[in-house]
């Protein structure tokens, strides 16, 4: 498992914590970090009732790590985006409760990771932004629209809006706000309220209430990233 991601042992109640650990890069998603998330999800067993996802330091996750992207082929970049999309799909289809603890920046693919969780608890410092279409990449769009509504999602994406914690709460990106440094008591209460749902029921519940379509989402992502000129689009976005 990557040293950029830690997965705690299950608590007696079945809670595990997955922490992104690149605080010097605002927990941006390098290829290694994404593979660490996959390895953590692989390691979760039937004893897990809930997974809490957090970011070390001041930020949840700043999204795709563009470091040295010019030196990577477009095929390599495509694979990185696909692996992120697969993380989103796995979180949405989990048979345990998924909870994001969002503090600071949740941008791009980091915002998509948060939105893929069933419950999103934010601090007053939480901020969301979804800039993917600014460089032509379609990732997590249907999930955003399902949460915020199609019209609100369009405005967010068209204008590359940055939403503070209160705006995120108003449109549903956050389920609730909490100033508690340690939300353990609240998470235990959420777990208690779902205690009668077994893994099969949770998986079915999430599947039936997920407006997305993993295969269509992946196909649209691949089409968007495969469009010629990805490097130029990223460079133009980063200059703006």
């Amino acid at each position: 498992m990557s040293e950029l991601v830690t997965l705690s042992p299950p608590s007696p109640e079945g809670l595990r914590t997955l922490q992104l650990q690149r605080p010097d890069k605002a927990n941006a998603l390098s290829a290694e970090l994404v593979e660490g998330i996959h390895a953590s999800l692989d390691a979760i067993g039937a004893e897990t009732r809930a997974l809490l996802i957090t970011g070390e330091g001041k930020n949840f996750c700043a999204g795709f790590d563009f470091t040295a992207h010019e030196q990577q082929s477009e095929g390599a970049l495509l694979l990185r985006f696909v692996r992120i999309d697969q993380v989103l799909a796995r979180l949405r289809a989990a048979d345990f409760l998924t909870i994001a603890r969002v503090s600071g920046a949740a941008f791009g693919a980091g915002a998509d990771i948060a939105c893929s969780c069933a419950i999103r608890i934010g601090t007053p410092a939480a901020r969301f932004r979804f800039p993917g279409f600014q460089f032509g990449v379609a990732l997590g769009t249907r999930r955003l629209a399902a949460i915020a509504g199609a019209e609100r999602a369009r405005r967010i994406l068209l204008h590359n809006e940055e939403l503070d914690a209160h705006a995120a709460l108003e449109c549903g990106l956050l389920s609730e706000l909490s100033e508690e440094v340690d939300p353990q008591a609240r998470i235990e209460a959420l777990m208690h309220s779902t205690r009668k749902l077994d893994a099969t029921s949770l998986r079915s519940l999430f599947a039936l209430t997920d407006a997305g379509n993993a295969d269509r989402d992946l196909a649209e992502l691949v089409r968007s990233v495969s469009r010629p000129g990805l490097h130029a689009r990223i460079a133009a976005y980063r200059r703006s």
Side-chain angles (χ1 to χ4, degrees), residues 78-162:
L78 171 60
L79 178 59
R80 287 183 59 194
F81 280 111
V82 166
R83 292 296 280 165
I84 293 170
D85 183 80
Q86 290 171 335
V87 166
L88 307 184
R90 293 183 73 175
L91 291 174
R92 293 197 304 269
D95 56 7
F96 44 83
L97 189 65
T98 51
I99 305 168
R101 173 63 168 167
V102 182
S103 183
F107 291 169
D112 293 322
I113 287 175
C115 287
S116 293
C117 293
I119 298 170
R120 301 163 298 281
I121 303 173
T123 72
R127 309 186 321 277
F128 285 80
R129 188 154 55 85
F130 300 83
F133 279 101
Q134 303 296 313
F135 49 94
V137 171
L139 182 68
T141 310
R142 249 184 284 269
R143 178 64 174 165
L144 172 61
I147 291 173
E151 291 299 325
R152 187 71 182 97
R154 285 172 182 157
R155 291 200 304 274
I156 291 169
L157 297 171
L158 278 170
H159 306 295
N160 195 21
E161 287 187 28
E162 183 171 319

Coordinates of all heavy atoms in Angstrom, one line a residue, residues 78-162:
L78 N -4.5 9.5 -19.8 CA -5.8 8.9 -19.9 C -6.0 7.8 -18.8 O -7.0 7.7 -18.1 CB -6.0 8.3 -21.3 CG -7.3 7.4 -21.5 CD1 -8.5 8.1 -21.2 CD2 -7.3 6.8 -22.9
L79 N -4.9 6.9 -18.7 CA -5.0 5.9 -17.7 C -5.2 6.4 -16.3 O -5.9 5.9 -15.5 CB -3.7 5.0 -17.8 CG -3.7 3.9 -16.7 CD1 -4.8 2.9 -16.8 CD2 -2.3 3.1 -16.9
R80 N -4.5 7.5 -16.0 CA -4.6 8.1 -14.7 C -6.0 8.6 -14.4 O -6.6 8.4 -13.3 CB -3.6 9.3 -14.5 CG -2.1 8.8 -14.4 CD -1.2 10.0 -14.2 NE -1.6 10.8 -13.0 CZ -1.2 12.0 -12.8 NH1 -0.4 12.6 -13.6 NH2 -1.6 12.6 -11.6
F81 N -6.6 9.3 -15.4 CA -8.0 9.7 -15.2 C -9.0 8.5 -15.1 O -9.9 8.6 -14.3 CB -8.4 10.6 -16.4 CG -8.0 12.0 -16.3 CD1 -7.0 12.5 -17.2 CD2 -8.5 12.9 -15.3 CE1 -6.5 13.8 -17.1 CE2 -8.0 14.2 -15.2 CZ -7.1 14.7 -16.1
V82 N -8.7 7.5 -15.9 CA -9.6 6.3 -15.8 C -9.5 5.7 -14.4 O -10.5 5.3 -13.8 CB -9.2 5.2 -16.8 CG1 -9.8 3.9 -16.5 CG2 -9.6 5.7 -18.2
R83 N -8.3 5.6 -13.8 CA -8.1 5.0 -12.5 C -8.8 5.9 -11.4 O -9.4 5.3 -10.4 CB -6.6 4.9 -12.1 CG -5.9 3.8 -13.0 CD -6.5 2.4 -12.7 NE -6.0 1.8 -11.5 CZ -6.5 0.8 -10.9 NH1 -7.6 0.2 -11.4 NH2 -6.0 0.3 -9.8
I84 N -8.9 7.2 -11.6 CA -9.6 8.0 -10.7 C -11.1 7.8 -10.8 O -11.8 7.6 -9.9 CB -9.3 9.5 -11.0 CG1 -7.9 9.8 -10.6 CG2 -10.3 10.4 -10.2 CD1 -7.4 11.2 -11.0
D85 N -11.6 7.7 -12.1 CA -13.0 7.4 -12.3 C -13.4 6.1 -11.7 O -14.5 5.9 -11.1 CB -13.3 7.3 -13.8 CG -14.7 7.1 -14.1 OD1 -15.5 8.0 -14.1 OD2 -15.1 5.9 -14.4
Q86 N -12.5 5.1 -11.7 CA -12.8 3.8 -11.1 C -12.9 3.9 -9.5 O -13.7 3.2 -8.9 CB -11.7 2.8 -11.5 CG -11.8 2.4 -12.9 CD -10.7 1.5 -13.4 OE1 -9.6 1.6 -12.8 NE2 -10.9 0.7 -14.4
V87 N -12.1 4.8 -8.9 CA -12.2 5.1 -7.5 C -13.6 5.6 -7.2 O -14.3 5.2 -6.3 CB -11.2 6.1 -7.0 CG1 -11.5 6.6 -5.6 CG2 -9.8 5.5 -7.0
L88 N -14.1 6.6 -8.0 CA -15.4 7.2 -7.8 C -16.5 6.1 -7.9 O -17.4 6.1 -7.1 CB -15.7 8.3 -8.9 CG -14.7 9.4 -9.0 CD1 -15.1 10.4 -10.1 CD2 -14.3 10.0 -7.7
A89 N -16.4 5.2 -8.9 CA -17.4 4.2 -9.1 C -17.4 3.2 -7.9 O -18.5 2.8 -7.4 CB -17.1 3.4 -10.4
R90 N -16.2 2.9 -7.4 CA -16.1 2.0 -6.3 C -16.7 2.6 -5.0 O -17.4 1.9 -4.2 CB -14.7 1.6 -6.0 CG -14.0 0.8 -7.1 CD -12.6 0.4 -6.8 NE -12.6 -0.7 -5.8 CZ -11.5 -1.3 -5.4 NH1 -10.3 -1.0 -5.9 NH2 -11.5 -2.3 -4.5
L91 N -16.5 3.9 -4.8 CA -17.1 4.5 -3.6 C -18.6 4.5 -3.7 O -19.3 4.3 -2.7 CB -16.5 5.9 -3.5 CG -15.1 6.0 -3.1 CD1 -14.6 7.4 -3.1 CD2 -14.8 5.4 -1.7
R92 N -19.1 4.8 -4.9 CA -20.6 4.9 -5.1 C -21.3 3.6 -4.9 O -22.4 3.5 -4.5 CB -20.9 5.5 -6.4 CG -20.5 7.0 -6.6 CD -21.3 7.6 -7.8 NE -21.0 6.9 -9.0 CZ -20.1 7.2 -9.9 NH1 -19.2 8.1 -9.6 NH2 -20.0 6.5 -11.0
A93 N -20.5 2.5 -5.2 CA -21.1 1.1 -5.2 C -20.7 0.4 -3.9 O -21.0 -0.8 -3.9 CB -20.7 0.4 -6.4
A94 N -20.2 1.0 -3.0 CA -19.7 0.4 -1.8 C -20.8 -0.3 -1.0 O -22.0 0.2 -1.1 CB -19.0 1.3 -0.9
D95 N -20.5 -1.4 -0.3 CA -21.5 -2.0 0.6 C -21.3 -1.6 2.1 O -21.7 -2.4 3.0 CB -21.5 -3.5 0.4 CG -20.2 -4.2 0.7 OD1 -19.2 -3.4 1.1 OD2 -20.0 -5.4 0.4
F96 N -20.7 -0.5 2.3 CA -20.5 0.1 3.6 C -20.8 1.6 3.5 O -20.8 2.2 2.4 CB -19.1 -0.2 4.2 CG -18.0 0.1 3.1 CD1 -17.5 1.3 2.9 CD2 -17.5 -1.0 2.4 CE1 -16.5 1.5 2.0 CE2 -16.5 -0.8 1.5 CZ -16.0 0.5 1.3
L97 N -21.0 2.3 4.6 CA -21.3 3.7 4.6 C -20.0 4.4 4.3 O -19.0 4.2 4.9 CB -21.8 4.1 5.9 CG -22.4 5.5 6.1 CD1 -23.6 5.7 5.2 CD2 -22.7 5.8 7.5
T98 N -20.1 5.4 3.3 CA -18.9 6.2 3.0 C -19.1 7.6 3.4 O -20.2 8.2 3.1 CB -18.6 6.1 1.5 OG1 -19.8 6.5 0.7 CG2 -18.1 4.8 1.0
I99 N -18.1 8.2 4.1 CA -18.3 9.5 4.7 C -17.0 10.3 4.4 O -15.9 9.9 4.6 CB -18.4 9.4 6.2 CG1 -19.6 8.5 6.6 CG2 -18.6 10.8 6.8 CD1 -19.6 8.2 8.1
A100 N -17.2 11.5 3.8 CA -16.1 12.3 3.5 C -16.1 13.4 4.5 O -17.1 14.0 4.8 CB -16.2 13.0 2.1
R101 N -14.9 13.7 5.1 CA -14.7 14.8 6.0 C -13.9 15.9 5.3 O -12.7 15.7 5.0 CB -13.9 14.3 7.2 CG -13.5 15.4 8.2 CD -14.7 16.1 8.8 NE -14.3 17.0 10.0 CZ -15.0 17.9 10.5 NH1 -16.3 18.0 10.1 NH2 -14.6 18.6 11.6
V102 N -14.6 16.9 4.8 CA -14.1 17.9 3.9 C -13.7 19.2 4.6 O -14.5 19.9 5.2 CB -15.0 18.3 2.8 CG1 -14.4 19.2 1.8 CG2 -15.5 17.0 2.1
S103 N -12.4 19.5 4.6 CA -11.9 20.7 5.2 C -10.9 21.3 4.1 O -10.2 20.6 3.5 CB -11.1 20.5 6.5 OG -10.7 21.7 7.0
G104 N -11.0 22.6 4.0 CA -10.2 23.3 3.0 C -10.6 22.9 1.6 O -11.8 22.7 1.3
A105 N -9.7 22.8 0.6 CA -10.0 22.6 -0.8 C -10.4 21.2 -1.1 O -9.7 20.2 -0.7 CB -8.8 23.0 -1.6
A106 N -11.5 21.1 -1.8 CA -11.9 19.9 -2.5 C -12.2 20.3 -3.9 O -13.3 20.7 -4.3 CB -13.2 19.3 -1.8
F107 N -11.1 20.2 -4.7 CA -11.2 20.7 -6.1 C -11.1 19.6 -7.1 O -10.4 18.6 -6.8 CB -10.0 21.7 -6.3 CG -10.1 23.0 -5.6 CD1 -9.0 23.8 -5.5 CD2 -11.3 23.4 -4.9 CE1 -9.1 25.1 -4.9 CE2 -11.4 24.6 -4.3 CZ -10.3 25.4 -4.2
G108 N -11.7 19.7 -8.2 CA -11.6 18.8 -9.3 C -11.9 17.4 -8.9 O -12.9 17.1 -8.3
A109 N -11.0 16.5 -9.2 CA -11.2 15.1 -8.8 C -11.3 14.9 -7.3 O -11.9 13.9 -6.8 CB -10.1 14.2 -9.4
G110 N -10.7 15.8 -6.5 CA -10.9 15.7 -5.1 C -12.3 16.0 -4.7 O -12.9 15.3 -3.8
A111 N -13.0 17.0 -5.3 CA -14.4 17.2 -5.1 C -15.2 16.0 -5.6 O -16.2 15.7 -4.9 CB -14.8 18.5 -5.9
D112 N -14.8 15.4 -6.6 CA -15.6 14.2 -7.1 C -15.5 13.1 -6.1 O -16.5 12.3 -6.0 CB -15.0 13.8 -8.5 CG -15.3 14.8 -9.6 OD1 -16.4 15.4 -9.6 OD2 -14.4 15.0 -10.5
I113 N -14.3 12.9 -5.5 CA -14.2 11.9 -4.5 C -15.1 12.1 -3.3 O -15.8 11.2 -2.9 CB -12.7 11.7 -4.0 CG1 -11.9 11.1 -5.1 CG2 -12.6 10.9 -2.7 CD1 -10.4 11.0 -4.7
A114 N -15.1 13.4 -2.9 CA -16.1 13.7 -1.8 C -17.5 13.5 -2.2 O -18.3 12.9 -1.4 CB -15.9 15.2 -1.4
C115 N -17.9 13.9 -3.4 CA -19.3 13.8 -3.9 C -19.7 12.3 -4.1 O -20.9 12.0 -4.1 CB -19.5 14.6 -5.1 SG -19.5 16.3 -4.9
S116 N -18.7 11.4 -4.2 CA -19.0 10.0 -4.4 C -19.3 9.3 -3.1 O -19.8 8.2 -3.1 CB -17.8 9.3 -5.1 OG -17.7 9.8 -6.4
C117 N -19.1 10.0 -2.0 CA -19.4 9.4 -0.7 C -20.8 9.7 -0.3 O -21.4 10.7 -0.8 CB -18.5 10.1 0.4 SG -16.7 9.6 0.2
A118 N -21.4 8.8 0.4 CA -22.8 8.9 0.7 C -23.1 10.1 1.6 O -24.2 10.7 1.5 CB -23.3 7.6 1.4
I119 N -22.2 10.4 2.5 CA -22.4 11.5 3.5 C -21.1 12.4 3.4 O -20.0 11.9 3.4 CB -22.6 11.0 4.9 CG1 -23.9 10.2 4.9 CG2 -22.6 12.2 5.9 CD1 -24.1 9.5 6.2
R120 N -21.3 13.7 3.4 CA -20.2 14.7 3.3 C -20.3 15.7 4.4 O -21.2 16.5 4.4 CB -20.2 15.3 1.9 CG -20.2 14.3 0.8 CD -20.6 14.8 -0.6 NE -22.0 15.3 -0.6 CZ -23.0 14.4 -0.8 NH1 -22.9 13.1 -0.8 NH2 -24.3 14.9 -0.8
I121 N -19.4 15.6 5.4 CA -19.4 16.5 6.5 C -18.3 17.5 6.3 O -17.1 17.2 6.1 CB -19.1 15.7 7.8 CG1 -20.2 14.6 8.0 CG2 -19.1 16.7 9.0 CD1 -19.9 13.7 9.2
G122 N -18.6 18.8 6.2 CA -17.7 19.8 6.0 C -17.4 20.7 7.2 O -18.2 20.9 8.1
T123 N -16.2 21.3 7.2 CA -15.9 22.3 8.2 C -16.2 23.6 7.5 O -16.4 23.7 6.3 CB -14.4 22.3 8.6 OG1 -13.6 22.8 7.4 CG2 -13.9 20.9 8.9
P124 N -16.3 24.7 8.3 CA -16.5 26.0 7.7 C -15.5 26.5 6.7 O -15.7 27.3 5.9 CB -16.5 27.0 8.9 CG -16.9 26.1 10.1 CD -16.3 24.8 9.8
A125 N -14.3 25.8 6.7 CA -13.2 26.1 5.7 C -13.4 25.4 4.4 O -12.6 25.6 3.5 CB -11.9 25.9 6.3
A126 N -14.4 24.5 4.3 CA -14.5 23.7 3.1 C -14.8 24.5 1.8 O -15.5 25.5 1.9 CB -15.6 22.7 3.2
R127 N -14.2 24.2 0.7 CA -14.4 24.9 -0.6 C -14.4 23.8 -1.7 O -13.6 22.9 -1.7 CB -13.2 25.9 -0.9 CG -13.0 26.8 0.3 CD -12.0 27.9 0.0 NE -10.8 27.5 -0.9 CZ -9.7 27.0 -0.4 NH1 -9.6 26.6 0.8 NH2 -8.7 26.7 -1.2
F128 N -15.3 24.0 -2.6 CA -15.5 23.1 -3.7 C -15.3 23.8 -5.1 O -15.7 25.0 -5.2 CB -16.9 22.5 -3.8 CG -17.1 21.4 -2.7 CD1 -17.4 21.7 -1.4 CD2 -17.0 20.1 -3.1 CE1 -17.6 20.8 -0.4 CE2 -17.3 19.1 -2.1 CZ -17.5 19.4 -0.8
R129 N -14.6 23.1 -6.0 CA -14.5 23.7 -7.4 C -14.4 22.5 -8.3 O -13.7 21.5 -8.0 CB -13.4 24.6 -7.5 CG -13.3 25.4 -8.9 CD -12.6 26.7 -8.7 NE -11.3 26.6 -8.2 CZ -10.2 26.3 -8.9 NH1 -10.2 26.1 -10.2 NH2 -9.0 26.2 -8.3
F130 N -15.0 22.6 -9.5 CA -15.0 21.5 -10.5 C -14.5 22.0 -11.9 O -15.3 22.3 -12.8 CB -16.4 20.9 -10.7 CG -17.0 20.4 -9.4 CD1 -17.6 21.3 -8.5 CD2 -17.0 19.0 -9.1 CE1 -18.2 20.8 -7.3 CE2 -17.6 18.5 -8.0 CZ -18.1 19.4 -7.0
P131 N -13.2 22.1 -12.0 CA -12.6 22.8 -13.2 C -12.4 21.9 -14.4 O -11.9 22.3 -15.5 CB -11.3 23.4 -12.7 CG -10.9 22.3 -11.7 CD -12.1 21.9 -11.0
G132 N -12.8 20.6 -14.4 CA -12.4 19.7 -15.4 C -12.8 20.1 -16.8 O -11.9 20.0 -17.7
F133 N -13.9 20.7 -17.0 CA -14.3 21.1 -18.4 C -13.5 22.3 -18.9 O -13.5 22.6 -20.1 CB -15.8 21.4 -18.4 CG -16.7 20.2 -18.6 CD1 -17.3 19.7 -17.5 CD2 -16.8 19.5 -19.8 CE1 -18.1 18.5 -17.6 CE2 -17.6 18.4 -19.9 CZ -18.2 17.9 -18.8
Q134 N -12.8 23.0 -18.0 CA -11.9 24.1 -18.4 C -10.8 23.6 -19.3 O -10.2 24.3 -20.0 CB -11.4 24.8 -17.2 CG -12.4 25.4 -16.2 CD -13.3 26.4 -16.9 OE1 -12.8 27.3 -17.5 NE2 -14.6 26.3 -16.7
F135 N -10.4 22.3 -19.1 CA -9.5 21.7 -20.0 C -10.0 20.4 -20.7 O -9.3 19.6 -21.1 CB -8.1 21.3 -19.3 CG -8.3 20.6 -17.9 CD1 -8.2 19.2 -17.9 CD2 -8.5 21.3 -16.8 CE1 -8.4 18.6 -16.7 CE2 -8.6 20.7 -15.6 CZ -8.6 19.3 -15.5
G136 N -11.3 20.4 -20.8 CA -12.0 19.4 -21.6 C -12.1 18.0 -21.1 O -12.3 17.1 -21.8
V137 N -12.1 17.8 -19.8 CA -12.2 16.5 -19.2 C -13.5 16.4 -18.4 O -13.8 17.2 -17.5 CB -11.0 16.2 -18.2 CG1 -11.2 14.9 -17.4 CG2 -9.7 16.2 -19.0
A138 N -14.3 15.3 -18.8 CA -15.6 15.1 -18.1 C -15.4 14.0 -17.1 O -15.3 12.8 -17.4 CB -16.6 14.6 -19.2
L139 N -15.4 14.4 -15.8 CA -15.3 13.5 -14.7 C -16.3 13.8 -13.6 O -16.3 15.0 -13.2 CB -13.8 13.6 -14.2 CG -13.4 12.6 -13.0 CD1 -13.4 11.2 -13.5 CD2 -12.1 13.0 -12.4
G140 N -17.0 12.8 -13.2 CA -17.9 13.0 -12.1 C -19.1 13.9 -12.3 O -19.9 14.3 -11.4
T141 N -19.4 14.2 -13.6 CA -20.4 15.2 -13.9 C -21.8 14.8 -13.5 O -22.6 15.6 -13.0 CB -20.4 15.6 -15.4 OG1 -19.0 15.8 -15.8 CG2 -21.3 16.8 -15.7
R142 N -22.2 13.6 -13.8 CA -23.6 13.1 -13.6 C -23.8 13.1 -12.0 O -24.9 13.4 -11.6 CB -23.8 11.7 -14.2 CG -24.8 11.7 -15.3 CD -25.0 10.3 -15.8 NE -23.9 9.8 -16.6 CZ -23.8 10.0 -17.9 NH1 -24.8 10.6 -18.6 NH2 -22.8 9.5 -18.6
R143 N -22.8 12.8 -11.3 CA -23.0 12.7 -9.8 C -23.2 14.2 -9.3 O -24.1 14.4 -8.4 CB -21.7 12.1 -9.2 CG -21.8 12.1 -7.7 CD -22.8 11.2 -7.1 NE -22.7 11.1 -5.6 CZ -23.7 10.7 -4.8 NH1 -24.8 10.3 -5.4 NH2 -23.5 10.6 -3.6
L144 N -22.4 15.1 -9.8 CA -22.6 16.5 -9.4 C -24.1 17.0 -9.7 O -24.7 17.6 -8.9 CB -21.6 17.4 -10.1 CG -21.8 18.9 -10.0 CD1 -21.7 19.3 -8.5 CD2 -20.8 19.7 -10.8
A145 N -24.5 16.6 -10.9 CA -25.9 17.0 -11.3 C -27.0 16.4 -10.5 O -28.0 17.0 -10.1 CB -26.1 16.7 -12.8
A146 N -26.7 15.1 -10.1 CA -27.7 14.4 -9.2 C -27.8 15.0 -7.8 O -28.8 15.1 -7.2 CB -27.3 12.9 -9.1
I147 N -26.6 15.6 -7.3 CA -26.6 16.2 -6.0 C -27.2 17.6 -6.0 O -28.0 18.0 -5.3 CB -25.2 16.2 -5.4 CG1 -24.7 14.7 -5.1 CG2 -25.1 17.0 -4.2 CD1 -23.3 14.6 -4.7
A148 N -26.6 18.4 -7.0 CA -27.0 19.8 -7.0 C -28.1 20.2 -7.9 O -28.6 21.3 -7.8 CB -25.7 20.6 -7.4
G149 N -28.5 19.3 -8.7 CA -29.6 19.6 -9.7 C -28.9 20.0 -11.0 O -27.8 20.6 -11.0
A150 N -29.5 19.7 -12.1 CA -28.9 19.9 -13.4 C -28.6 21.4 -13.7 O -27.5 21.7 -14.2 CB -29.8 19.4 -14.6
E151 N -29.5 22.3 -13.4 CA -29.3 23.7 -13.7 C -28.2 24.3 -12.8 O -27.3 25.0 -13.3 CB -30.6 24.5 -13.5 CG -31.6 24.2 -14.5 CD -31.2 24.6 -15.9 OE1 -30.4 25.6 -16.1 OE2 -31.6 23.9 -16.8
R152 N -28.2 23.9 -11.5 CA -27.1 24.4 -10.6 C -25.8 23.8 -11.1 O -24.7 24.5 -11.0 CB -27.4 24.0 -9.2 CG -26.4 24.7 -8.2 CD -26.7 26.1 -8.1 NE -25.8 26.8 -7.1 CZ -24.6 27.4 -7.5 NH1 -24.3 27.4 -8.8 NH2 -23.8 28.0 -6.6
A153 N -25.7 22.6 -11.4 CA -24.5 21.9 -11.9 C -23.9 22.6 -13.1 O -22.7 22.9 -13.2 CB -24.7 20.4 -12.1
R154 N -24.8 23.0 -14.0 CA -24.4 23.7 -15.3 C -23.7 25.0 -14.9 O -22.7 25.4 -15.5 CB -25.6 23.8 -16.2 CG -26.0 22.6 -16.9 CD -27.2 22.8 -17.7 NE -27.7 21.5 -18.4 CZ -28.9 21.3 -18.7 NH1 -29.9 22.1 -18.5 NH2 -29.2 20.1 -19.3
R155 N -24.3 25.7 -14.0 CA -23.8 27.0 -13.7 C -22.4 26.9 -13.0 O -21.5 27.6 -13.3 CB -24.7 27.8 -12.7 CG -26.0 28.3 -13.4 CD -26.6 29.4 -12.6 NE -26.9 29.1 -11.2 CZ -28.0 28.4 -10.8 NH1 -28.9 28.1 -11.7 NH2 -28.2 28.2 -9.5
I156 N -22.3 25.9 -12.1 CA -21.0 25.6 -11.5 C -19.9 25.3 -12.5 O -18.8 25.8 -12.4 CB -21.2 24.5 -10.5 CG1 -22.0 24.9 -9.3 CG2 -19.8 24.0 -10.0 CD1 -22.4 23.7 -8.4
L157 N -20.3 24.4 -13.5 CA -19.3 24.0 -14.5 C -19.0 25.1 -15.5 O -17.8 25.3 -15.9 CB -19.8 22.7 -15.1 CG -19.9 21.5 -14.2 CD1 -20.6 20.4 -14.9 CD2 -18.6 21.0 -13.7
L158 N -20.0 25.8 -16.0 CA -19.8 26.8 -17.0 C -18.9 27.9 -16.5 O -18.0 28.4 -17.3 CB -21.2 27.4 -17.4 CG -22.0 26.6 -18.4 CD1 -23.4 27.2 -18.5 CD2 -21.3 26.6 -19.8
H159 N -19.1 28.3 -15.3 CA -18.4 29.5 -14.8 C -17.2 29.1 -13.8 O -16.6 30.0 -13.2 CB -19.4 30.4 -14.0 CG -20.6 30.8 -14.9 ND1 -20.4 31.5 -16.1 CD2 -21.9 30.5 -14.8 CE1 -21.6 31.7 -16.6 NE2 -22.5 31.0 -15.9
N160 N -17.0 27.8 -13.7 CA -15.9 27.3 -12.8 C -16.0 28.0 -11.4 O -15.1 28.5 -10.9 CB -14.5 27.7 -13.4 CG -13.4 26.9 -12.8 OD1 -13.6 25.9 -12.1 ND2 -12.2 27.4 -12.9
E161 N -17.2 27.9 -10.9 CA -17.5 28.5 -9.6 C -16.8 27.9 -8.5 O -16.6 26.6 -8.5 CB -19.0 28.4 -9.3 CG -19.9 29.3 -10.1 CD -21.3 29.3 -9.6 OE1 -21.6 29.0 -8.4 OE2 -22.3 29.5 -10.4
E162 N -16.3 28.6 -7.5 CA -15.8 28.1 -6.3 C -16.9 28.3 -5.2 O -17.3 29.5 -5.0 CB -14.5 28.8 -5.9 CG -13.9 28.2 -4.6 CD -12.5 28.7 -4.3 OE1 -11.7 28.8 -5.3 OE2 -12.2 28.9 -3.2

